[in-house]
Amino acid sequence: MERDDKERQHTSADGKAPPQAGPAVNRLRPWRRISGQLTTLIGESGFCALFGRALRTLAVRYDWLSVDATRKSIDGLLSALEHDLAGVEPAVADIAAAELLNTFTKQLSSLIGEALTARLLEQATAAEQIGPEDVQEHK
Amino acid sequence: MTDKVRLGLLATGVPGLDVLLGGGLTEYSFTLIAGAPGSGKTTLAHQIMFALAGPERRALFFTVLGEPPLKMLRYQQQFSFFDMGLVGPCIRYVNLADDLRAGHFQGVLERIMREVEDFGPGLVFVDSFRSVMQAARSGNEGLSDLQAFIQELGSRMATWQATTFLIGEYSQADVEANPIITVADGMVTLYQAADDNSALRKLRVNKMRGQGHMTGAHTMRIADDGIRVYPRLLPPLPPDLVSGAPVDRNPRRIPTGVSGLDELLHGGLPQGHTMLVSGPTGAGKTILGTRFLQAGAEIGEKGVAVFFEKGVARLRNAELAALVARGDVTVIESRSLSLSVEELMDEMCTAIEKTGASRVVIDSLSEIGLYLAPEVRADLRTAVFRTLAALSQRGVSAVVTVGMEDDYTRLSFSPDELCFLTDAVLSMRFVEYDGELRKFMTVVKVRGCDHSTDVREYTITADGIEVDGKSPFLNGVMVGRPTQKR
């Protein structure tokens, strides 16, 4: 809990910041690519289950992350995340977004191994670098 | 020159399977891989996919409602054939669960086609198709729609020139009455033949259009390197034994490690021969086998010892342990009690090839039945026949022991008519005479070669087996009725 307290010191008094749509959207960009990549492999429900578990794990430390098991669509989950990230200090949002990605990656790695996870996410990153217009998403 | 279309054959990458298929898998064919859960369908599909996929022939693997894709990847990557480098550029996994849940085959078909057009695969796998069938039964669309769907899928994949596989949890009975089989060009069934708490994996090619495939069930095994199929075939004859090749009337003789026995054999065992050594417990069969390996080691010949005796007995064989420690002999011992003859042969032949061994001892055929799966045990003679054929094909010389427990009043040389399967037979007997249990041996046969027909007494000493140089003073020792010669 000490770590959570330190992290909260970086936020404003109520732990939240005015919504900032632009950066929050950028923070979601990797998720859109990863979800596109993984949905092909495990389906939307499979991705939502993995993402939901990572979110739940991280919500212990960032209690402003909303966890709702009834959300069954990628759009619904990412919209909620976008809203949550926009509601805190940008620095905290950046850290939380990075940790969420890290948690998700670790959990996926524990299932299919680091090598295959890296390979799959590498493809998502490659698609990211090419740009959204040049790559076909698989949903 | 012919204007008939030639069927391209693809090597499946599954050892033994191409032999069953009649040379390989037909290109652009539509094959059903059927079997109960746990029979190895997904592994077979993956092994074929990883063998065939590459930049020039990409693969699309559709998962439906069977094994969750992440679990499938988790387990399949344990096999050595799983090449991580192919995943992504050459192999793409696509999950159709959401499309199937939407409930329309047409939608599933369109999704498959979209992915096919996007990725341009030469190989398409759909795992598992049973779930598609179940969706048909529970949904609004009936079985005829499913058949139309499969027909359409087969037709589109053929047009796309994609070799296609449908994987499904079908039993043999399911499949025979199923419309899918009429659409499929090929069908491979996998199952586990259970008998007396033991199970052997089996693979059967039910159908393969346009090819003379092998029928019947063939043993297969799944190990770290994937599936290996063992066609029920004898190995090809060695070049010097094919019809028309000149017959060597004076094959090289090799020492057996028992000089008195070499005399009876007129110079030793003909190289490449298998000799059955039969006799009761305590007759010295294992000692003879060990001496045979020692004699080989002395002239630089490596050996393989296939032991079915109790492990402790082997540990007490200090001479064999010394041979093993020096690297002259490789010991093969099974801890499985559901052994197939194919696994035994595989392990033995691998050891022979790896070490360049020219001598093999199998000790003993009496205990082999304890290790074999019931199905194999029931046909011990065939199991021994196949094993000896594998040895003969490699030109190695072998001593095979077998225990005999009879009343010694009949001139019997082996149980289960095993003596007909070997080139040479050495019979060992006990005789009670003058308050003493004495040992005698005789060479019953050496195929194509001369040998002594004498019966000789022998003793087991610290130096091994010592054979008396002259005929015994007794008659009738081989039939348990010793009488002193006049």
Side-chain angles (χ1 to χ4, degrees):
Chain A
M1 283 299 125
E2 280 183 18
R3 197 170 162 189
D4 281 358
D5 293 343
K6 280 182 189 171
E7 279 163 359
R8 284 192 186 111
Q9 285 172 10
H10 295 292
T11 63
S12 56
D14 61 356
K16 298 197 173 179
Q20 293 179 325
V25 170
N26 287 338
R27 284 180 206 111
L28 291 186
R29 204 170 159 187
W31 284 112
R32 300 226 178 265
R33 284 291 159 202
I34 291 169
S35 64
Q37 182 76 24
L38 289 183
T39 303
T40 307
L41 176 65
I42 57 177
E44 185 170 21
S45 58
F47 177 82
C48 289
L50 271 180
F51 185 84
R53 189 183 163 214
L55 205 58
R56 190 176 289 275
T57 306
L58 211 63
V60 174
R61 292 171 53 201
Y62 300 105
D63 58 6
W64 44 266
L65 280 171
S66 56
V67 178
D68 182 353
T70 61
R71 288 187 193 119
K72 298 287 185 195
S73 75
I74 293 171
D75 284 344
L77 281 169
L78 294 187
S79 294
L81 177 65
E82 182 179 8
H83 181 265
D84 291 344
L85 292 174
V88 295
E89 292 284 350
V92 176
D94 284 341
I95 292 168
E99 284 191 29
L100 182 62
L101 191 58
N102 191 37
T103 304
F104 180 90
T105 307
K106 276 186 179 170
Q107 288 177 348
L108 186 58
S109 294
S110 70
L111 283 169
I112 60 169
E114 283 181 20
L116 196 53
T117 300
R119 193 148 190 94
L120 291 171
L121 297 185
E122 192 178 274
Q123 287 163 35
T125 311
E128 172 80 7
Q129 284 164 354
I130 293 165
E133 302 305 320
D134 304 324
V135 181
Q136 183 188 345
E137 284 199 13
H138 302 285
K139 285 191 178 178
Chain B
M1 189 80 175
T2 173
D3 56 359
K4 287 181 181 173
V5 66
R6 285 179 71 87
L7 297 177
L9 294 180
L10 306 173
T12 59
V14 180
L17 181 57
D18 294 345
V19 174
L20 296 194
L21 292 170
L25 189 74
T26 316
E27 207 170 17
Y28 316 142
S29 59
F30 192 73
T31 301
L32 181 65
I33 300 176
S39 58
K41 302 179 299 296
T42 302
T43 302
L44 180 69
H46 270 81
Q47 196 168 340
I48 293 172
M49 178 168 74
F50 276 93
L52 293 174
E56 303 301 316
R57 190 192 292 119
R58 298 197 283 183
L60 258 178
F61 197 103
F62 292 101
T63 54
V64 193
L65 291 175
E67 188 178 356
L70 288 181
K71 282 199 169 183
M72 189 181 70
L73 289 175
R74 178 180 172 83
Y75 297 126
Q76 287 299 319
Q77 66 180 272
Q78 307 305 319
F79 292 110
S80 59
F81 60 72
F82 192 99
D83 180 357
M84 213 77 79
L86 292 176
V87 179
C90 303
I91 293 174
R92 181 185 284 180
Y93 290 89
V94 177
N95 187 267
L96 294 176
D98 293 337
D99 302 82
L100 194 65
R101 266 194 287 268
H104 298 286
F105 289 147
Q106 198 56 35
V108 175
L109 190 62
E110 292 312 322
R111 171 74 193 279
I112 290 174
M113 284 316 297
R114 272 205 312 279
E115 296 291 346
V116 167
E117 283 161 14
D118 175 45
F119 197 56
L123 300 162
V124 171
F125 297 79
V126 184
D127 183 11
S128 133
F129 225 68
R130 178 79 174 203
S131 46
V132 177
M133 274 193 68
Q134 281 164 343
R137 284 178 189 145
S138 59
N140 295 328
E141 295 169 281
L143 204 58
S144 60
D145 290 334
L146 173 71
Q147 192 172 4
F149 166 72
I150 293 165
Q151 185 93 45
E152 182 71 13
L153 180 65
S155 163
R156 291 202 196 186
M157 290 304 110
T159 309
W160 190 265
Q161 296 191 319
T163 307
T164 306
F165 300 83
L166 301 185
I167 299 140
E169 291 92 20
Y170 303 104
S171 69
Q172 189 73 23
D174 276 346
V175 167
E176 281 164 3
N178 200 295
I180 293 178
I181 188 66
T182 58
V183 179
D185 300 314
M187 184 181 151
V188 176
T189 313
L190 290 78
Y191 64 97
Q192 297 191 41
D195 186 2
D196 194 17
N197 296 328
S198 170
L200 282 184
R201 292 184 181 276
K202 298 282 181 180
L203 184 145
R204 185 173 175 182
V205 178
N206 304 61
K207 173 182 181 180
M208 191 52 63
R209 279 187 181 135
Q211 275 171 264
H213 64 88
M214 279 184 74
T215 55
H218 304 263
T219 302
M220 64 170 239
R221 66 114 174 91
I222 303 179
D224 293 347
D225 57 351
I227 290 175
R228 174 181 285 268
V229 184
Y230 300 97
R232 286 178 58 81
L233 281 174
L234 288 176
L237 285 169
D240 60 326
L241 290 182
V242 293
S243 179
V247 178
D248 184 2
R249 291 178 185 276
N250 291 301
R252 185 171 76 89
R253 303 287 184 135
I254 60 167
T256 60
V258 177
S259 59
L261 175 59
D262 289 344
E263 279 177 34
L264 291 175
L265 289 166
H266 287 181
L269 184 68
Q271 205 276 324
H273 275 214
T274 51
M275 180 166 72
L276 183 73
V277 178
S278 71
T281 181
K285 300 184 295 297
T286 301
I287 294 172
L288 199 149
T290 307
R291 291 288 165 189
F292 180 68
L293 293 171
Q294 275 179 326
E298 282 166 15
I299 54 174
E301 293 182 6
K302 299 286 183 197
V304 170
V306 187
F307 272 76
F308 294 99
E309 287 281 4
K310 293 180 287 292
V312 176
R314 184 178 70 74
L315 292 173
R316 285 181 184 151
N317 187 341
E319 287 165 333
L320 179 67
L323 289 169
V324 174
R326 283 200 297 270
D328 291 327
V329 170
T330 303
V331 173
I332 293 171
E333 264 183 320
S334 173
R335 306 311 300 167
S336 165
L337 294 177
S338 296
L339 195 64
S340 69
V341 68
E342 290 84 1
E343 287 169 302
L344 165 65
M345 284 164 52
D346 205 18
E347 210 176 335
M348 183 181 74
C349 294
T350 302
I352 291 169
E353 274 154 30
K354 199 173 161 188
T355 61
S358 55
R359 293 185 180 222
V360 169
V361 169
I362 301 177
D363 185 27
S364 80
L365 298 181
S366 319
E367 277 77 28
I368 194 172
L370 299 174
Y371 292 81
L372 293 173
E375 182 196 286
V376 189
R377 197 187 308 150
D379 195 4
L380 179 65
R381 198 157 185 265
T382 303
V384 174
F385 175 55
R386 294 179 70 187
T387 307
L388 296 183
L391 290 175
S392 168
Q393 195 255 346
R394 281 162 178 79
V396 299
S397 311
V399 164
V400 185
T401 70
V402 65
M404 288 271 292
E405 200 60 64
D406 62 20
D407 56 11
Y408 304 117
T409 56
R410 293 183 301 122
L411 203 55
S412 171
F413 300 117
S414 70
D416 294 320
E417 300 181 339
L418 295 174
C419 57
F420 294 99
L421 303 179
T422 56
D423 301 305
V425 174
L426 177 71
S427 181
M428 300 168 113
R429 286 289 171 107
F430 282 129
V431 165
E432 185 198 345
Y433 186 78
D434 203 16
E436 195 182 349
L437 205 56
R438 305 169 83 130
K439 302 181 189 75
F440 294 84
M441 67 165 67
T442 188
V443 175
V444 177
K445 74 165 181 182
V446 183
R447 222 168 247 158
C449 299
D450 59 316
H451 62 90
S452 169
T453 54
D454 285 356
V455 175
R456 296 285 174 91
E457 184 169 10
Y458 69 94
T459 51
I460 297 174
T461 69
D463 295 325
I465 295 175
E466 293 185 16
V467 182
D468 197 343
K470 56 185 186 302
S471 291
F473 60 98
L474 296 171
N475 278 326
V477 295
M478 299 307 288
V479 289
R481 295 190 193 91
T483 54
Q484 200 159 5
K485 283 180 183 173
R486 292 183 181 178

